[in-house]
Amino acid sequence: MAKRIFITGIWHETNTFAHGRTELDDFYAYQYSEGDEIFAAFADTNTEIGGAMNAAMKLDLNLIPGLFAGAVPSGLVTAEAYQTLVKRTLELLEGAGEIDGVLVHLHGAWVAEGATETDAQFLAAIRSKLPPGTPLVATFDLHANLSEELIAQADALVGYDTYPHNDMGARGAEAAQILHRMLWSTRRPVKILRKLPFAPPPQVQGTASEPVAGIMAKMHDMETWGGIWSASIAWGFPYADVAHLGVGILVQGDDHGHALRIADDLAMTIWRQRGDFDAGLVEVEDAVRRAMAAPGGPVMLVDVADNAGGGAPGDGTTILAKLIDQSARKAVVVLCDPEAVRGAKALGAGAMFSGNVGGKSDDLHGPPMPLAGEVVFQEPVRYQRRGDYMTGNWIDLGEVAVIQADGVTVMLTEAKAMPFDADHLTAAGIAATMQQIIVVKSAIAWQAHFRSFAKGEIYVDTPGICASNLKRFEYTKLDRALYPIDDDGIWPAK
Ligand SMILES: [Zn+2]
C-alpha cells in the first residue's frame, strides 16, 4: 500500500531591520492554501510542493496535505501569526490519521516574535506529534541561516542550489526521494553542519557567478562521492539579527568521518575566498550617468538596498530622484505606493497626475518624491509568472497606475512587485526591451529573466534595509565576529 506522507510548509524570510510587523493577513494575502487546495495551487509549478507532487506520483507516495503559508519577505512575524500557523498545521496533522513520513518546506530565515529559532521550533512542534522513528525531511532556501537546532529536528534536509532560485521543483523532488529511501529502511544519514563566521550580502551570492559558481560545482562533485546522500550550502540572509546568522555547510552521508571531511573542505574553500565576495557598488549619480551614456539598453540599475523580495518597502526614491534630475529618457522605475495609486485612480487614465510618490514607508529609502506627468495606465494587475523563477505563481499587484513624467516612466503599485521577470511591466503596458534604463528593486533574482536581454548592469550604492554594505546595520545578537560585518572572523574556531 502506498505510504502516507504529510506535506506542509511555512515560508518566510524575515528582515529584522524592516519597520513594521508581518501579520497573519500578510500570509493570507500572498500565499495560503490548505488541504487539497495545495495541490490545485502547486500542480505543475517549479516549487518544492510541485516537485514533490511529481516525485510522489513516480514513487507511489500518497501525499496528505497540511497547509502552505508564505508571505512576502518583510519584518518580524507577529507571535499571533506564528502561533496560529503552527497550531493550524498541527490540527491538520492530527486530522490526517496515520502518517508514514513528513515533508516540510521551510525558508530557514524565519524570525517570529518570541521564537528566535522559529523554523527549528516549527519543526520541533511537528515532530512532537509524530510517533518516534517517523522520517521527516525538510527543504530550505539558499538564504537560510542554518542552525544545529534546525538540523536536529529533521532526519535529512535539502537546500536550494541556485540563486536566482530555479531548482525548487528539483529540490522538492529530491526531498521526496530521500524520504522514500528512509521509508523502506531504518537507515538515516549522519548530518554535519559547519557554520562559518561569514555573512556575504545576497548580491554576491549568485550561483551563476564566481566565486559561488565554482564552490557549488565543487560541492556537486563531492555529492556524487560514495556514501553521500546530499550536500547543501545555505549562504544565509544577513538582514536577520540572529545568533545563527551566516553561511552554513550541510553534508549528509553514511559515514561520520567522511561527511565531516567534506564539510570541512567546503568550509575552508569558502573561507579562503571570502575576500572575493565584493559588491562593487557605484554611487547613484555616477550610476545614472553611466546608464544614460550606454550605447544600448536596457541597462539595469540594481537597487539592492530596496530589494522588494528581501523585506524592503520597494518604494525607495534615491535612484528616481537622480533620473529626473538628469532628465533620463526611456527609464522605468516601479514603486509600491498604495496612496499614490489611489490618487491616480481617482484621476483616471489620460489625466495629469501631480503628487508625492514613494519614500512613505519609512525614512530609510529616500524621501517622498514630487512627480508630475500623465496617467498612461490605470487598472488592477494580476498575472501569472512565465519566467523560470517561481513559474506559474499568480501575482496580484492590486490597483496599478503608470505615470509618464517626461522620459521617466513610474509604475505605481498597491502591492510590492518582485521583479523575477518582466511580466509585471508587460501587464501594465511597458515593454522592457524598449527601455534604456530599468531600475530593479532586487539583489540578483532579477537576473533570471532580465539578463537574457539587458545590455548592462550597475549595482547602485543606495541606502536601505537590504544594503549590500553590511556595516550600515547594527547587529545585537551576534556572539562572534562575522566577516564582512566585522573586519574579519576567526576560522577554524578555536
Ligand atoms: Zn532565497
Side-chain angles (χ1 to χ4, degrees):
M1 218 180 89
K3 298 279 188 185
R4 304 180 81 246
I5 307 304
F6 185 71
I7 182 166
T8 200
I10 302 178
W11 189 96
H12 195 253
E13 183 177 80
T14 309
N15 188 319
T16 65
F17 297 105
H19 283 215
R21 293 285 184 268
T22 303
E23 315 265 356
L24 203 49
D25 279 345
D26 295 313
F27 287 90
Y28 293 150
Y30 185 62
Q31 275 190 332
Y32 186 88
S33 44
E34 59 173 62
D36 289 335
E37 287 167 19
I38 289 184
F39 299 140
F42 292 103
D44 301 319
T45 59
N46 183 13
T47 60
E48 298 94 304
I49 293 179
M53 284 169 70
N54 286 341
M57 208 117 70
K58 289 188 198 121
L59 299 167
D60 192 28
L61 299 175
N62 183 12
L63 295 182
I64 312 298
L67 63 79
F68 186 81
V72 175
S74 44
L76 200 61
V77 174
T78 63
E80 192 213 355
Y82 166 70
Q83 284 157 8
T84 306
L85 293 173
V86 173
K87 185 167 164 263
R88 185 64 191 138
T89 302
L90 300 185
E91 282 167 7
L92 290 162
L93 176 57
E94 277 164 15
E98 213 164 295
I99 289 298
D100 300 302
V102 178
L103 284 173
V104 187
H105 304 297
L106 302 170
H107 183 285
W110 181 18
V111 191
E113 287 170 336
T116 48
E117 282 270 7
T118 313
D119 290 287
Q121 285 167 253
F122 174 49
L123 279 193
I126 292 174
R127 182 63 99 183
S128 72
K129 301 291 178 196
L130 300 172
T134 309
L136 185 156
V137 179
T139 57
F140 58 85
D141 190 282
L142 179 130
H143 296 108
N145 290 315
L146 296 181
S147 69
E148 290 290 355
E149 287 78 352
L150 179 73
I151 303 309
Q153 297 302 333
D155 294 291
L157 302 97
V158 178
Y160 305 168
D161 292 331
T162 57
Y163 179 37
H165 313 310
N166 50 31
D167 67 331
M168 292 136 115
R171 298 289 76 74
E174 185 184 351
Q177 281 149 10
I178 290 176
L179 184 66
H180 182 257
R181 192 167 163 182
M182 292 176 179
L183 289 168
W184 303 100
S185 81
T186 52
R187 282 176 55 215
R188 301 287 184 269
V190 175
K191 296 165 288 175
I192 302 292
L193 176 66
R194 281 285 178 257
K195 285 290 286 189
L196 284 171
F198 178 38
Q203 187 207 317
V204 292
Q205 295 179 1
T207 52
S209 315
E210 295 302 338
V212 175
I215 294 164
M216 295 309 276
K218 178 172 177 155
M219 183 196 79
H220 286 308
D221 177 49
M222 289 169 150
E223 238 178 339
T224 66
W225 294 1
I228 297 303
W229 290 42
S230 176
S232 303
I233 299 171
W235 291 91
F237 183 66
Y239 311 113
D241 185 11
V242 291
H244 51 283
L245 171 58
V247 174
I249 298 110
L250 177 66
V251 181
Q252 300 164 112
D254 290 324
D255 179 70
H256 185 271
H258 186 46
L260 193 71
R261 281 189 295 279
I262 290 178
D264 280 336
D265 186 340
L266 285 170
M268 193 48 87
T269 301
I270 296 168
W271 184 244
R272 287 205 182 108
Q273 295 182 61
R274 65 193 179 284
D276 300 340
F277 287 74
D278 180 9
L281 300 171
V282 177
E283 183 274 324
V284 188
E285 222 170 292
D286 190 28
V288 169
R289 194 175 306 118
R290 284 196 217 174
M292 287 170 64
V299 173
M300 309 301 294
L301 289 184
V302 188
D303 191 355
V304 178
D306 190 23
N307 178 5
D315 75 344
T317 54
T318 318
I319 298 177
L320 173 62
K322 294 294 172 199
L323 288 171
I324 294 198
D325 260 16
Q326 299 188 33
S327 307
R329 315 295 306 171
K330 291 197 279 180
V332 174
V333 182
V334 181
L335 296 179
C336 176
D337 187 339
E339 185 189 299
V341 170
R342 279 194 294 276
K345 190 185 176 187
L347 295 166
M352 291 304 289
F353 173 92
S354 175
N356 282 337
V357 298
K360 294 171 188 171
S361 327
D362 56 43
D363 52 5
L364 306 170
H365 301 83
M369 168 85 201
L371 186 78
E374 188 189 343
V375 182
V376 293
F377 175 95
Q378 202 295 299
E379 274 172 45
V381 165
R382 188 167 182 269
Y383 64 95
Q384 194 169 22
R385 291 200 186 281
R386 293 170 304 173
D388 65 356
Y389 194 56
M390 298 196 179
T391 319
N393 264 16
W394 276 98
I395 304 297
D396 189 350
L397 294 180
E399 292 286 345
V400 168
V402 178
I403 313 293
Q404 192 61 48
D406 292 325
V408 181
T409 306
V410 182
M411 176 172 165
L412 302 167
T413 61
E414 255 186 330
K416 282 197 265 185
M418 290 182 274
F420 303 156
D421 43 55
D423 296 339
H424 59 299
L425 298 176
T426 311
I430 300 167
T433 52
M434 305 295 287
Q435 307 302 320
Q436 173 68 16
I437 299 174
I438 299 177
V439 177
V440 275
K441 293 171 177 298
S442 168
I444 76 155
W446 64 272
Q447 294 172 1
H449 176 75
F450 290 94
R451 252 193 191 166
S452 63
F453 59 88
K455 299 289 193 295
E457 55 191 66
I458 302 172
Y459 289 87
V460 191
D461 190 6
T462 53
I465 58 161
C466 290
S468 286
N469 178 3
L470 300 181
K471 285 187 193 295
R472 287 177 186 262
F473 302 95
E474 203 177 312
Y475 294 87
T476 61
K477 304 280 195 322
L478 305 179
D479 55 6
R480 55 181 180 164
L482 253 70
Y483 179 78
I485 295 164
D486 300 287
D487 290 334
D488 208 355
I490 297 169
W491 182 262
K494 288 274 168 340

